[in-house]
Structures are given as structure tokens and as C-alpha cells.
Amino acid sequence: MAIDAVQLAADLMELRGLANAKLEDEPMPNGEDAGKRLQADIERYDLKSEIADLETKGYAILPPGKAKPVEFFDRLRETILRLAETRRHGELGPATGLGTTLFHLLPHDRVFEEALMAPAPLTLVTYLLGYRAKLSQSTALIKDSRASALGIHADHSGKLPAPWPNIAQYCNVTWVTTDYTRENGAVCVWPGSHRFCRPVPDDIVMGHDREEVEVLEMPKGSVVVWHGSLWHGAIPRTAEGQRVTLVLPHVRDHIQPQEIYWATTTPEMIARNPARFSTLMGLHCTNPWIQDGPTQVGLEMRPVTGSQFE
Ligand SMILES: O=C(O)CCC(=O)C(=O)O
């Protein structure tokens, strides 16, 4: 049975209308204004050292309390574990090194909306991808003592042909809801590798013990943000219990997100959130369209002034 494209276009037009109306009170910044607003937010949320880390190391860690209070991470973990009992798990199993995967969590509980809209990590996303960034995934990873190592990779791999541009096209926001230690199978990174602008060579993929690779040990309540070109992976988990992580990757405006967020966005979700939420859902992006064509607001919103923070 074919999808009813006429109905799909009508539904999408309705959501875009609601999303565009939000912009009347909260316009999206353009050009130099985008840079100035971002600078103000970097100061407001005290993020200068994290920005320096993103530039030099390719990743930054928000310590407990900076993204959200630690209790919020307990709520996040408990919600993920509750959903894991009833929701269909992704086909990628523990043998991949990702653990048990739960995809497209955003519409299933408002706690994920709250994480997405948390100002400090969102400001780091804006620094890397601009104000038109879209959410690409809302995925939980649950790892137990069977979780093997996750090969070292860059998130741009398989999405962008190399060589990659210096400016990030994709970034990862990882919410750490259980302590990251070696035994718990923490994420590991190759600091500075985002500047190589190329995928991880085959002989390095399982090189977790190389001296260039750093294991990111950090307490529950931390959030890690990294550039899409950063070489990273995870070491195997040996401890009992579970490592529970929420991964919220984002893409720049011109990239197709991995998950289709406008298809699961409701008018209520648009109404209860700032205009930026609709942008993250892809509803302010000119593309894609069906027979309805692009909206006038969509055309006016296209990034045209040349600022990387638009
Ligand atoms: O949390 C992990 O184990 C690694 C996740 C990862 O590499 C990714 O999301 O790209």
C-alpha cells in the first residue's frame, strides 16, 4: 500500500505552519547576529573552557550540574530502563560494542525533550553546527558485562565522503547516566584527531590501548560533546550491572538526519517548547517537500550570509 502523499503533505504543512508561527516571537538569528548571540550564551553558561576543548581536543565534558542537576540523570536512566522493558530494541546487538540499542526515544517521554533543550549542551551544539542544527538520533545504549569493545571510528564516517571539512557537520551529545570507568566500559577518544579530517585507518580500529587513546572516566551527571570527525570508541565492559547512556547526535541544516523527527512531532510538542525545538525537528528546514513545495518562510530562512553559526 502506498503512503498517502497528499495527506502527508497536508500534515507536514500544518506542522510547518505551527513551527513558523513560533518564529514570530523568537526569530532565528542570521549572519553576525548569530555569532553575537552565541557569544552571549557562551558567557551566560560559562562555556569558554569547553569551547577551547572542542577546538583543541575535538571534545568537551560538561561536569555534573552544568547540563542539568544530577537527579535529572537518574530520571533519564530510570526512563530508559523502563522503556527497554516494553519497546522494540534495535537490531544492533551487544556484539557490535554498542550494547542494547533503543532508537528514536524523543517522542516517548518528555525527559528526552528536556535533555535536548538543556541550554549548556545546546550552546555547544550551536558552536559546532549553527542555529539551524537538527536532531539526528535519540538513542539509548545499555551495556552489561557482555559488552565488547566498540571499534574506534569517527561519526562522519559512512555519512560524508572524505576528506572532511574542518567545520563539523555532525556532533554527538552523550548523556552519562551511570559512572564512566574502565571497568564500566567508558568511551575513549584520540584527542585532536578531529583535525585529521579523515576516517580511522583499518589498523587503528581496535587500537584501544594505543598511547594516543584516552579513556574518559567521569561521574554520572556528565555530558560529553564531540565533533563528528573525532576518532573515538568504547572499551569493553567487565563490571556487573549496566552502563546506561543517552546519545543525542545532531547534524547541520543541509544534512539528512538519521531519524525522521518531523514525522513524530505533535502540535503539543511544538506549542510547549521554544521555537528552537521545531528547528531541531527539521520543521524550519526548507527541505524536504512533497507536492506542497517549499514554504515562503522556509525559503526566507535559508542560511545565506556566510556565518558558520547560522
Ligand atoms: O557510548 C558509546 O559506547 C559510544 C557511542 C558512539 O561511539 C557513538 O554514538 O558514536
Side-chain angles (χ1 to χ4, degrees), residues 97-153:
L98 284 171
T100 299
T101 45
L102 291 176
F103 291 106
H104 206 77
L105 286 177
L106 187 80
H108 291 278
D109 196 288
R110 281 174 69 172
V111 74
F112 303 116
E113 275 174 47
E114 286 180 49
L116 178 67
M117 300 309 294
L122 192 52
T123 301
L124 298 182
V125 170
T126 310
Y127 180 78
L128 288 171
L129 304 179
Y131 279 98
R132 285 165 175 75
K134 298 180 289 196
L135 181 64
S136 190
Q137 284 187 62
S138 46
T139 303
L141 308 177
I142 305 173
K143 299 194 186 185
D144 60 22
S145 57
R146 291 169 302 148
S148 50
L150 174 66
I152 299 176
H153 64 284

Side-chain angles (χ1 to χ4, degrees), residues 97-99 137 139 141 143 148 150-151 153-155 159 170 172-174 180 185-188 226 232-235 243 245-249:
L98 284 171
Q137 284 187 62
T139 303
L141 308 177
K143 299 194 186 185
S148 50
L150 174 66
H153 64 284
D155 290 338
K159 303 181 186 76
Y170 183 104
N172 187 311
V173 182
T174 279
Y180 271 19
V187 161
C188 59
W226 64 78
H232 67 280
I235 55 174
R243 199 203 84 169
T245 304
L246 175 68
V247 188
L248 296 177

Side-chain angles (χ1 to χ4, degrees), residues 8-259:
L8 182 58
D11 291 345
L12 191 48
M13 278 295 264
E14 186 191 334
L15 288 176
R16 283 196 167 130
L18 296 171
N20 289 344
K22 294 288 274 193
L23 291 171
E24 283 166 24
D25 294 333
E26 305 165 63
M28 186 179 296
N30 276 309
E32 278 187 22
D33 282 349
K36 283 185 194 152
R37 194 193 292 189
L38 175 59
Q39 192 55 42
D41 277 349
I42 291 170
E43 279 161 33
R44 180 173 311 128
Y45 302 116
D46 186 24
L47 295 170
K48 282 191 186 152
S49 73
E50 286 84 355
I51 296 288
D53 284 347
L54 282 177
E55 281 296 324
T56 56
K57 300 186 196 173
Y59 70 93
I61 298 174
L62 294 166
K66 203 154 181 179
K68 283 280 191 190
V70 175
E71 304 77 60
F72 177 84
F73 291 75
D74 292 330
R75 230 176 100 208
L76 210 45
R77 186 187 60 256
E78 283 155 19
T79 308
I80 290 169
L81 292 175
R82 175 173 53 77
L83 290 170
E85 284 173 18
T86 51
R87 287 211 53 223
R88 193 170 151 227
H89 296 174
E91 283 180 13
L92 310 175
T96 61
L98 284 171
T100 299
T101 45
L102 291 176
F103 291 106
H104 206 77
L105 286 177
L106 187 80
H108 291 278
D109 196 288
R110 281 174 69 172
V111 74
F112 303 116
E113 275 174 47
E114 286 180 49
L116 178 67
M117 300 309 294
L122 192 52
T123 301
L124 298 182
V125 170
T126 310
Y127 180 78
L128 288 171
L129 304 179
Y131 279 98
R132 285 165 175 75
K134 298 180 289 196
L135 181 64
S136 190
Q137 284 187 62
S138 46
T139 303
L141 308 177
I142 305 173
K143 299 194 186 185
D144 60 22
S145 57
R146 291 169 302 148
S148 50
L150 174 66
I152 299 176
H153 64 284
D155 290 338
H156 282 163
S157 283
K159 303 181 186 76
L160 309 180
W164 299 323
N166 282 328
I167 293 177
Q169 307 296 305
Y170 183 104
C171 80
N172 187 311
V173 182
T174 279
W175 288 70
V176 176
T177 81
T178 47
D179 293 343
Y180 271 19
T181 61
R182 283 184 173 271
E183 302 70 40
N184 289 354
V187 161
C188 59
V189 296
W190 183 309
S193 55
H194 63 304
R195 294 179 186 275
F196 302 161
C197 296
R198 63 185 173 95
V200 176
D202 289 346
D203 60 333
I204 294 183
V205 169
M206 291 318 280
H208 298 75
D209 51 2
R210 289 177 67 115
E211 63 176 23
E212 298 92 336
V213 174
E214 194 180 307
V215 176
L216 298 183
E217 296 193 273
M218 67 189 95
K220 164 182 95 177
S222 312
V223 172
V224 199
V225 178
W226 64 78
H227 186 298
S229 295
L230 183 77
W231 294 2
H232 67 280
I235 55 174
R237 183 182 168 97
T238 51
E240 292 301 312
Q242 289 170 314
R243 199 203 84 169
V244 182
T245 304
L246 175 68
V247 188
L248 296 177
H250 294 61
V251 288
R252 268 189 186 270
D253 181 68
H254 64 283
I255 310 259
Q256 170 78 34
Q258 292 154 297
E259 298 179 348

